[in-house]
Amino acid sequence: MRTARRNLAELADEFVIGLCDPEEQREVEDRLMKEPELAVLVELARQRFAALDAATPREAVPESLWHRVERRLDAVEESMAAPETKDSRVEAPVDLKSEREKRSRPMMWTAAASLAASLVLAIALVWNLMTTVEPQVIAVLVNDAGQPVAMIEGAENNATQVTLLGQTDVPAGTILQLWTKPDPDGPPVSLGIFDEPKQTILQAAGLPVPKPDQLYEITFEQPGGSPTGLPTGPILGKGLAREPR
């Protein structure tokens, strides 16, 4: 299977953007039902590119453009249907410059379309790089029902990106606080708090580089964070880190 050898994050981005061929599209759709990690990455890619699409102003195509296209198609159709005679070939003057322009216009449209597609892809890739960290570990946090509720990406410099999955209802008068256990036998350490259930990057100092099997947990706490320095509120989700492939 070709898609099995590809980097999962890259595959998810290409699947969402629409760069997969029909065979790859079917393969990915089948794998989404069997591979939770790929399903999470596809959902994250959809969120990133949806935000990019929402931030891009819509440009209306001039109505005159479609009229010109229709006239061009009608002219081509008439020229193909008209019978060609020896006399008409001799008597009809040929404007070579006009003919070259006619032939070059479809090529110009094709080049413009290709340039626009390349520009969109470049912006998408830049957006992807600007809104993510280079993960050392990745953890998918699940709730008591076993449903994924958040994805954690821990970088070598202890920047931690938190992406909530699905609908997260934060009770009134509470905030979200992220915890981890660098030492499996030690107490949980706070990585930071955030008020809104959206993608967030938290920066913690003085912690060792995150490693596989490190525990991550999100709890609901009072505004300002836990008053004890340890988790006190209900748990939104928890999970163990894994090294990304």
Side-chain angles (χ1 to χ4, degrees):
M1 182 181 296
R2 287 179 293 170
T3 56
R5 297 192 297 270
R6 189 177 303 177
N7 176 278
L8 284 185
E10 177 185 345
L11 175 60
D13 286 348
E14 293 184 0
F15 176 75
V16 172
I17 295 174
L19 297 182
C20 293
D21 60 37
E23 181 183 350
E24 290 176 320
Q25 186 90 6
R26 288 190 295 271
E27 289 178 4
V28 174
E29 290 172 353
D30 291 340
R31 291 176 63 182
L32 289 176
M33 305 299 295
K34 307 169 186 175
E35 302 180 31
E37 182 180 0
L38 178 58
V40 168
L41 291 174
V42 166
E43 177 62 25
L44 293 178
R46 283 173 176 157
Q47 293 179 18
R48 289 199 305 274
F49 295 130
L52 175 63
D53 182 64
T56 304
R58 296 186 179 275
E59 295 291 342
V61 177
E63 188 174 350
S64 59
L65 170 63
W66 303 117
H67 293 324
R68 291 199 301 270
V69 171
E70 289 174 356
R71 288 197 299 269
R72 173 77 58 184
L73 293 176
D74 291 341
V76 171
E77 186 174 330
E78 290 174 3
S79 65
M80 293 178 64
E84 184 178 355
T85 66
K86 181 178 180 180
D87 293 340
S88 64
R89 289 197 303 271
V90 173
E91 294 176 2
V94 178
D95 187 340
L96 295 179
K97 181 179 179 182
S98 176
E99 288 298 319
R100 285 196 298 269
E101 290 178 351
K102 289 179 181 179
R103 292 172 184 170
S104 65
R105 283 171 187 169
M107 297 176 63
M108 291 172 62
W109 279 108
T110 302
S114 300
L115 179 60
S118 300
L119 181 59
V120 169
L121 180 58
I123 293 174
L125 293 176
V126 170
W127 176 271
N128 186 36
L129 292 174
M130 291 177 63
T131 57
T132 60
V133 298
E134 187 67 30
Q136 186 81 6
V137 296
I138 294 176
V140 177
L141 309 190
V142 299
N143 58 19
D144 292 338
Q147 297 298 315
V149 294
M151 181 175 179
I152 307 299
E153 297 174 80
E156 187 173 359
N157 63 351
N158 280 307
T160 306
Q161 180 166 281
V162 186
T163 304
L164 297 184
L165 308 175
Q167 182 67 33
T168 301
D169 296 321
V170 181
T174 67
I175 52 89
L176 296 162
Q177 189 160 4
L178 176 65
W179 307 85
T180 190
K181 292 184 70 174
D183 180 359
D185 299 323
V189 177
S190 175
L191 292 175
I193 62 175
F194 50 108
D195 299 328
E196 299 181 18
K198 61 181 183 181
Q199 190 176 77
T200 306
I201 295 181
L202 304 174
Q203 184 72 54
L207 296 178
V209 175
K211 56 185 180 297
D213 295 324
Q214 184 167 317
L215 177 68
Y216 286 89
E217 179 179 278
I218 295 178
T219 60
F220 297 103
E221 302 290 347
Q222 67 183 40
S226 169
T228 66
L230 295 173
T232 61
I235 299 174
L236 172 64
K238 59 183 177 180
L240 297 176
R242 294 289 183 265
E243 185 177 0
R245 290 186 289 177

